[in-house]
Amino acid sequence: MTFFQLESPYRGAYALHRLTFGAGDPVVTLVAGVHGNEVNGTYALNLLAGVLRLQRPRGTVHLLPCVNLFGAEEGRKRWPFGDRDLNLSFPGHPEGSPVERVADAVMRASEGRLCVDVQTGSSVVHEVPHVRAPLSGAAVELGRAAGLPVLWRRPSESFDEGLVGAWRAAGRTALVVRGGRGGALDLDDAKVLARGLVRLLVEAGHLQTPEPPAAGVVTTDVCDYRCELGGFFVPEVRPGDRVVAGQVLGSLRAPVGGGALESLVAGAAGVVLAVRVYPVVHARELVVRVAQSTS
Amino acid sequence: MCDTLGVNVPPQLDTLIEIELPAGDAVAVHRRRFVGEVGPHVVLVAGVRGDTPEGTRVLYTVGRHLESVADRIVGTIDLYPCVNPLAAHLGARNWPGLDVDLNRRFPGRADGHAPDRVAAALVEAVRTADQVVELRGGHPSFRQAPHARVAASSPLAAERAAQANVRALWKIEASPTPGTLESVLPDLIGLEGGAGNRLTDGVGLELGDGVLNLLAVMGVIPESDLPFHWAAIQRPLVVSDAEVHDVRTGRGGLFLPVLACWAEVREGDVLGEVIEPISGVCLEAVRAPVAGRVLALREEPVVYPGNLVVRLAAAAT
């Protein structure tokens, strides 16, 4: 159904679509595509919609698979008109700017105690499917149940901004499910994300047929590896790889001639959470992220 | 004007930070420092966003004057003509490549990526100054009257900003947006006017005179050397948050303004129309909710429902 519309000059109105499965309590809302180029989240929710069409869920499941349709249309992260970051406009305002009105509509469409923001990595970084949740609370257990390769428990201030921050400020249990890279459909990642979301809905009591359980790394200890210099980064690992201390993660080379400038080595064992895929990097940019400790 | 190409090397030009680039070259953030007798330390910052050449022009004209009075300066004046040079060379708002808004990164991180390092270096360099003034440009979609913005909690900054030859002084009560320069420097004076990515007739001159007058009021440069008489300095319309009214469209279409920036309006006056661009049907007459002055006017005509088109300053002088 069309939950909200915004008149658009020269073309048809912007529409915020919400798919609803089931009825009654409990209620959960899953949102994707706040950034227009985060297509893996959109596809994961569409895969989840296929599951929900076959299985009548207990309670109500709302899906908003693509909030920033205009950005998606152009492959852009931001709301294209005025180049605004929709995720920085939450909680929004019903009489505010266009992005504030869209943000307000997303907040009104987000019913239920549990809300999930399904994101994709940036266009230059490929991330393994993972969950980001606060250090404690119901979100952690739900994140653990999702069984994605990594559950990254982070201090609560990491969740103060954006849609998740607005949900939390409104008293909701909120978490981020994230993977792939912006601007590109990674079918395998999207399927893993969708399976994780099914497990999460099983844990939340909405679905009864579980996906096969999967064990992931649960950690608060994530190490960012950055190149000291700028250059051309060639990775030696892929998202999801297990690495050991001392293993080469990648090398920095001269953009012209390819001469070796720097080698990045893992300081500890872990699972590769994110890898830079656009190779030209500036000094001190993130190139590899490793989830270190396991439980 | 340059006296002769290549010979007007600015005095005391040093490097705040140098950022190496992947292609092997580097980009530097420079500082021009004027040092005189012992006195206040004033910092003038421009170009935090790359689409604000007006601020850089103001610091150019201010720097020219400071060169002419260099032996009579009391204190230290630091000019940062362009903090975001990589974006400025593209005319882009954000730090390119990373697409990061530098004005959301303060106080920065010394061990972070390039914009974080620049932010951290700038904060470290200016934190102890007696006064920091940031020259800003408007959003490229708008034209703004020259005005000052200060935190309402900083009466000294407001007192000084009132001497900056601006048409309006906005004492902002709302908390600053996290990551902005004013969020880490609460006594900062923000001066802005004109339009993003453009130079506007008169605005650079007004703000340049305002900065010089501010320096004279603080005793950093001699009043007798100002290139204008002090009586020529404008006294601003002083407004609080409650007296600044954002007028938004109710419909989407083309916004056609019927007045100019800083025009005086009465309550109910038509500020512009929103038309349906193909049929030409007038969808909405946008009216002034209060009497006041037009502080900002939208120049990019395509609008959605809820777009800001006019900002009115409503208080009496």
Side-chain angles (χ1 to χ4, degrees):
Chain A
M1 72 172 263
T2 301
F3 186 84
F4 169 77
Q5 281 195 314
L6 188 72
E7 182 179 38
S8 307
Y10 293 105
R11 60 175 295 171
Y14 162 81
L16 175 67
H17 299 286
R18 186 175 76 172
L19 309 177
T20 299
F21 300 88
D25 291 329
V27 181
V28 60
T29 300
L30 300 97
V31 175
V34 172
H35 288 150
N37 65 347
E38 296 191 359
V39 288
N40 289 299
T42 295
Y43 188 55
L45 284 199
N46 287 336
L47 290 173
L48 179 62
V51 173
L52 292 166
R53 285 189 192 102
L54 294 174
Q55 276 194 56
R56 182 183 170 81
R58 179 173 161 264
T60 307
V61 180
H62 294 303
L63 305 183
L64 284 69
C66 189
V67 171
N68 188 353
L69 262 175
F70 283 3
E73 202 173 75
E74 298 183 16
R76 293 174 68 171
K77 174 180 173 179
R78 298 194 179 102
W79 178 264
F81 180 77
D83 197 30
R84 300 289 178 167
D85 188 338
L86 190 49
N87 200 39
L88 298 181
S89 303
F90 288 99
H93 193 286
E95 295 176 348
S97 66
V99 287
E100 288 174 330
R101 293 180 187 213
V102 174
D104 172 73
V106 172
M107 289 299 290
R108 287 187 285 109
S110 302
E111 297 175 13
R113 195 177 58 80
L114 173 61
C115 295
V116 183
D117 186 9
V118 186
Q119 303 175 352
T120 305
S122 87
S123 59
V124 297
V125 174
H126 189 185
E127 300 184 11
V128 73
H130 65 284
V131 177
R132 298 181 180 187
L135 294 173
S136 60
V140 177
E141 294 315 311
L142 289 163
R144 194 188 301 272
L148 293 178
V150 175
L151 165 58
W152 184 2
R153 295 167 56 223
R154 311 182 74 188
S156 57
E157 54 265 31
S158 302
F159 300 93
D160 284 350
E161 287 190 343
L163 174 58
V164 169
W167 279 337
R168 284 166 56 84
R172 314 287 179 83
T173 296
L175 68 164
V176 173
V177 174
R178 182 177 167 111
R181 58 187 159 160
L185 180 59
D186 303 296
L187 284 173
D188 291 344
D189 289 334
K191 289 173 184 170
V192 172
L193 286 170
R195 289 193 185 109
L197 294 171
V198 169
R199 290 189 203 101
L200 194 152
L201 291 183
V202 170
E203 175 71 12
H206 292 278
L207 292 176
Q208 293 180 340
T209 306
E211 281 282 310
V217 172
V218 180
T219 185
T220 57
D221 191 5
V222 171
C223 183
D224 288 350
Y225 291 89
R226 299 170 187 270
C227 291
E228 288 301 318
L229 306 172
F232 195 96
F233 178 72
V234 182
E236 299 282 338
V237 292
R238 291 178 298 182
D241 284 356
R242 288 190 175 269
V243 296
V244 297
Q247 181 173 338
V248 174
L249 301 173
S251 59
L252 189 73
R253 300 180 172 276
V256 178
L261 299 174
E262 190 179 343
S263 181
L264 272 88
V265 176
V271 172
V272 176
L273 181 57
V275 175
R276 173 96 179 186
V277 289
Y278 184 72
V280 180
V281 296
H282 294 246
R284 302 295 302 161
E285 273 196 270
L286 173 72
V287 288
V288 178
R289 174 171 272 166
V290 176
Q292 293 190 155
S293 61
T294 60
S295 65
Chain B
M1 300 283 287
C2 296
D3 302 316
T4 307
L5 191 62
V7 300
N8 64 332
V9 177
Q12 294 177 282
L13 185 69
D14 55 20
T15 302
L16 174 72
I17 186 171
E18 189 170 83
I19 302 289
E20 64 242 13
L21 299 174
D25 61 333
V27 64
V29 178
H30 290 297
R31 173 179 69 182
R32 295 179 66 188
R33 168 163 281 192
F34 296 84
V35 182
E37 296 176 21
V38 174
H41 180 197
V42 181
V43 173
L44 309 174
V45 178
V48 172
R49 285 170 169 155
D51 60 356
T52 57
E54 193 74 81
T56 301
R57 173 167 77 161
V58 169
L59 292 203
Y60 165 72
T61 58
V62 169
R64 294 286 290 177
H65 183 77
L66 295 179
E67 289 169 24
S68 71
V69 300
D71 59 343
R72 297 187 290 285
I73 289 173
V74 178
T76 301
I77 309 163
D78 288 334
L79 275 57
Y80 295 90
C82 185
V83 177
N84 196 343
L86 209 55
H89 104 282
L90 298 176
R93 190 174 183 83
N94 292 347
W95 190 283
L98 295 162
D99 196 23
V100 164
D101 185 350
L102 185 55
N103 203 34
R104 294 291 182 275
R105 305 302 302 185
F106 294 104
R109 278 177 49 182
D111 63 347
H113 54 42
D116 271 356
R117 288 163 63 201
V118 169
L122 182 67
V123 170
E124 179 65 22
V126 309
R127 193 187 286 278
T128 59
D130 296 290
Q131 183 64 61
V132 179
V133 180
E134 184 190 357
L135 280 300
R136 303 167 182 156
H139 189 281
S141 301
F142 290 88
R143 183 169 300 278
Q144 298 186 91
H147 66 283
R149 297 183 185 195
V150 298
S153 57
S154 182
L156 181 58
E159 187 183 318
R160 289 170 174 164
Q163 305 295 326
N165 197 37
V166 286
R167 303 190 189 185
L169 166 57
W170 183 359
K171 296 181 179 179
I172 299 176
E173 290 134 22
S175 299
T177 303
T180 55
L181 192 52
E182 61 264 39
S183 71
V184 293
L185 302 172
D187 296 323
L188 179 133
I189 296 173
L191 298 181
E192 55 186 89
N197 242 349
R198 276 164 283 171
L199 301 176
T200 307
D201 281 350
V203 169
L205 188 64
E206 284 186 48
L207 292 179
D209 286 354
V211 171
L212 291 176
N213 193 59
L214 183 66
L215 293 173
V217 167
M218 290 185 69
V220 182
I221 60 173
E223 188 180 296
S224 57
D225 285 334
L226 289 175
F228 48 84
H229 191 272
W230 62 266
I233 292 297
Q234 303 176 88
R235 295 290 172 258
L237 183 70
V238 180
V239 289
S240 64
D241 292 359
E243 291 152 339
V244 174
H245 296 262
D246 286 352
V247 184
R248 298 180 183 276
T249 48
R251 302 293 304 273
L254 275 190
F255 173 68
L256 307 179
V258 298
L259 36 66
C261 211
W262 204 239
E264 190 164 12
V265 299
R266 295 166 301 178
E267 182 180 345
D269 280 356
V270 174
L271 305 171
E273 294 177 335
V274 178
I275 64 158
E276 203 290 312
I278 306 303
S279 67
V281 171
C282 179
L283 301 172
E284 180 186 11
V286 179
R287 294 180 181 277
V290 293
R293 291 274 192 175
V294 175
L295 190 57
L297 181 65
R298 186 174 182 94
E299 289 195 328
E300 186 180 302
V302 179
V303 292
Y304 276 65
N307 270 127
L308 173 68
V309 286
V310 176
R311 175 167 280 160
L312 289 175
T317 306

